[in-house]
């Protein structure tokens, strides 16, 4: 440690402090050490580098320090007049400064009468930061060199490895008090983004962080209109993830770097890149961010002994939902607010959220759904659920082609259901749904309640009947006419968990005994559902759709356009509203 050639002595005006070399031309020190740089020269010397002499330096970056002892950002980056052939300092991982027992730290400073420098021994009091900025230092023992003017900017180094964990930024004002403060290396990197590439973090190497930093900064220069705080929240676990630090993030990269060293999970960084891509208009940058997400977003193996995923009732399929939520946007008459998310282990991960013209919703949704698979565990039983306003429940989402070069209907490839967005946010209806699923779990089948062609049932009375006993309802036609809309509302308000209907069908009254397309649909549906467990219906309806699609004459099949509304609250835990305001 004492012979490390990268320790530097900094002189600027009346100030003398310390610093340390991190590249052939870059030295780090405190901003207050070079506060007079506008009127005085900055010189750098390396006491352990014989014959090198003093070098002039220029401040090329700083942390925005305000001038007071308690102001954050007390960091300056110096560029030497020429490169030096000295081995730069190496950084430790962010958590290495702390431990039980405490780890001994050495600092090399230049107090009065020690032009050649001297050592002091300290330790971090705790990992907790003061005002989100500093770590408190306390003397290793009651004797030895106290921190004093001349130590500012010194590297705090692990005694056993020689690796840097931070920089001394302040000493106690009273010479009898043997403590001080340190800027931890990750906080320093918050103010100078290139430093993050030098600090080891879990999952991403130096080259990877450098490439990502350049990409994120390019997105920022391209005018990505998004807040780093919201992208950060969308990228971390909503329960166990770290909160946004006080004051937020000064840049997008600052948020990414915080993810790198606080979360240490490449998937969180991948989510951030994917969310950021939604706000970038430059196609090259957007595609590069999307490639980054696809490369690093793969989920790990399912840990042994982990709890059953949400929606996995006893004896039922443990669904892993991908949820597409659509609603009208306040940004304009024809704008739609779209959010795509994936559920893993009962937690929701937002994949993308945007306000779009209605004509652009389908390609955006299909692209985000494809990305959402990266959030699911290998072998997960996928369920795609469209949360729609009531007036959009009959949209042909199951017939959407998977891509421009793939005409396969989405509903033939994956179990796909629609869910009424309105009742997702009504506590009483969700409670009723939960009660009905408890009953359904105890048996293997449910009776289909038939709403026949031309039914004139009173909406309120039908709601009450279905509230008690309605577990599965079939209709002969979609909710297009006023009468059918009332009957559908009765089923939804009656907390019916399973509703089926044809996208086209018969809604007219008929003489007794007269058969129509609607009656044929209900008869065939009743026969098909006999003996099937409601919890497994999404998979069965997917099989039915595939059978129809592969049949010689799909248009003549009774189930050619069957729609399944299916909602189990355990499968879709309640979440807040859309991650972004309609206008923002």
């Amino acid at each position: 440690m004492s012979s490390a050639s990268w320790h530097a002595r900094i002189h600027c005006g009346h100030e003398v402090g310390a610093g340390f070399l991190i590249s052939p031309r870059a030295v780090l020190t405190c901003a207050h050490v070079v506060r007079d740089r506008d009127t005085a020269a900055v010189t750098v010397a390396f006491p352990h580098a014989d014959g090198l002499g003093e070098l002039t330096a220029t401040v090329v970056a700083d942390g925005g320090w305000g001038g007071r002892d308690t102001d954050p950002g007390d960091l300056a980056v110096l560029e030497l007049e020429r490169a030096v052939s000295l081995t730069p300092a190496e950084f430790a991982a962010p958590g290495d400064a702390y431990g039980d027992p405490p780890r001994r730290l050495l600092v090399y400073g230049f107090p009065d009468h020690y032009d050649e420098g001297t050592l002091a021994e300290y330790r971090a009091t705790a990992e907790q930061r003061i005002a989100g900025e500093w770590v408190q230092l306390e003397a290793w023992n009651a004797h030895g060199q106290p921190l004093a003017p001349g130590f500012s900017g010194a590297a705090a180094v692990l005694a056993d490895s020689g690796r840097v964990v931070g920089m001394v930024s302040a000493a106690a004002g009273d010479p009898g008090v043997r403590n001080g403060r340190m800027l931890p290396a990750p906080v320093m990197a918050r103010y100078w983004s290139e430093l993050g590439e030098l600090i080891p973090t879990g999952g991403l190497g130096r080259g990877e962080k450098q490439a990502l930093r350049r990409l994120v900064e390019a997105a920022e220069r391209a005018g990505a209109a998004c807040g780093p705080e919201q992208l950060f929240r969308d990228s971390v676990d909503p329960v166990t993830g770290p909160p946004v630090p006080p004051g937020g993030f000064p840049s997008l990269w600052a948020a990414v770097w915080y993810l790198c060293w606080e979360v240490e999970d490449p998937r969180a960084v991948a989510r951030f890149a994917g969310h950021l891509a939604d706000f970038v208009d430059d196609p090259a940058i957007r595609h590069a961010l999307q490639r980054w997400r696809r490369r690093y977003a793969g989920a790990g193996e399912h840990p042994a002994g982990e709890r059953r995923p949400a929606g996995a009732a006893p004896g039922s399929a443990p669904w892993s939902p991908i949820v597409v939520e659509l609603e009208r946007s306040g940004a304009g008459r024809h704008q739609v607010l779209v959010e795509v998310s994936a559920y893993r282990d009962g937690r929701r991960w937002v994949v993308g959220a945007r306000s779009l013209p209605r004509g652009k919703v389908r390609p955006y949704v299909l692209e985000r759904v494809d990305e959402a698979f990266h959030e699911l565990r290998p072998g997960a039983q996928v369920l795609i659920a469209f949360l729609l306003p009531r007036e959009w429940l009959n949209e042909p989402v199951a017939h959407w082609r998977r891509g421009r070069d793939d005409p396969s209907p989405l509903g033939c490839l994956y179990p796909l259901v629609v869910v009424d967005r309105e009742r997702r946010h009504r506590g009483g209806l969700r409670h009723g749904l939960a009660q009905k699923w408890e009953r359904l779990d105890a048996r293997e089948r449910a009776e289909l309640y038939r709403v026949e062609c031309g039914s004139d049932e009173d909406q309120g009375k039908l709601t009450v009947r279905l509230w008690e006993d309605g577990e599965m309802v079939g209709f002969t036609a979609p909710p297009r006419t006023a009468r059918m809309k009332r009957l559908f509302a009765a089923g939804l308000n009656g907390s019916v968990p399973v509703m089926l209907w044809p996208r086209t069908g018969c809604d007219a009254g008929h003489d007794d005994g007269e058969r129509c397309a609607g009656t044929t649909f209900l008869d065939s549906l009743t026969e098909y559902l006999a003996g099937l467990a409601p919890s497994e219906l999404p998979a069965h309806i997917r099989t039915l759709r595939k059978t129809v699609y592969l049949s010689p004459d799909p248009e003549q099949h009774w189930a050619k356009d069957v729609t399944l509304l299916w909602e189990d609250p355990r499968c879709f835990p309640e979440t807040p509203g859309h991650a972004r305001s309609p206008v923002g």
Side-chain angles (χ1 to χ4, degrees), residues 450-518:
R450 298 168 56 120
V451 178
E452 305 286 353
C453 288
S455 172
D456 59 356
E457 292 190 72
D458 177 80
Q459 178 181 345
K461 293 180 179 178
L462 180 57
T463 298
V464 172
R465 278 195 291 272
L466 295 176
W467 183 266
E468 294 297 327
D469 304 315
E471 295 163 347
M472 194 160 56
V473 174
F475 299 87
T476 60
R480 288 192 297 221
T481 65
R483 185 177 64 82
M484 288 304 298
K485 288 178 181 178
R486 289 194 298 270
L487 296 173
F488 265 75
L492 295 169
N493 295 337
S495 286
V496 175
V498 180
M499 295 169 54
L500 301 104
W501 67 91
R503 286 196 59 254
T504 58
C506 182
D507 183 28
H510 301 283
D511 295 333
D512 290 343
E514 183 180 352
R515 291 182 60 80
C516 66

Side-chain angles (χ1 to χ4, degrees), residues 423-443:
R423 74 174 181 180
R424 280 270 296 152
H425 304 292
R426 293 179 61 180
L429 298 184
R430 286 178 62 81
H431 181 73
L433 284 168
Q435 287 184 315
K436 289 187 176 181
W437 278 111
E438 285 185 6
R439 295 201 301 264
L440 288 170
D441 288 343
R443 53 185 195 269

Side-chain angles (χ1 to χ4, degrees), residues 322-329 336-343 348 350 352-356 361 364-365 368-369 384-389 392 397 400 417 419-425 572-580:
I322 293 174
V323 176
V324 180
E325 187 166 2
L326 307 180
E327 67 169 312
R328 296 189 186 278
S329 170
V336 179
L337 194 58
V338 185
E339 186 167 282
V340 180
S341 54
Y343 283 83
R348 169 176 168 261
V350 178
R354 292 198 78 173
S355 180
L356 295 167
V361 169
Y364 177 81
V365 165
R368 295 291 88 76
V369 165
I384 299 176
F386 279 77
L387 272 63
L388 306 173
W392 293 352
V397 291
W400 283 7
V417 301
V419 177
D420 176 38
R421 189 176 180 278
E422 180 179 327
R423 74 174 181 180
R424 280 270 296 152
H425 304 292
F572 316 111
E574 184 60 89
T575 61
H578 280 289
R580 293 164 185 82

Side-chain angles (χ1 to χ4, degrees), residues 149-178:
F151 277 94
S152 293
V157 179
L158 290 170
D160 56 2
S161 70
R163 292 179 178 269
V164 177
V165 296
M167 181 179 72
V168 175
S169 61
D174 185 344
V177 179
R178 305 172 67 83

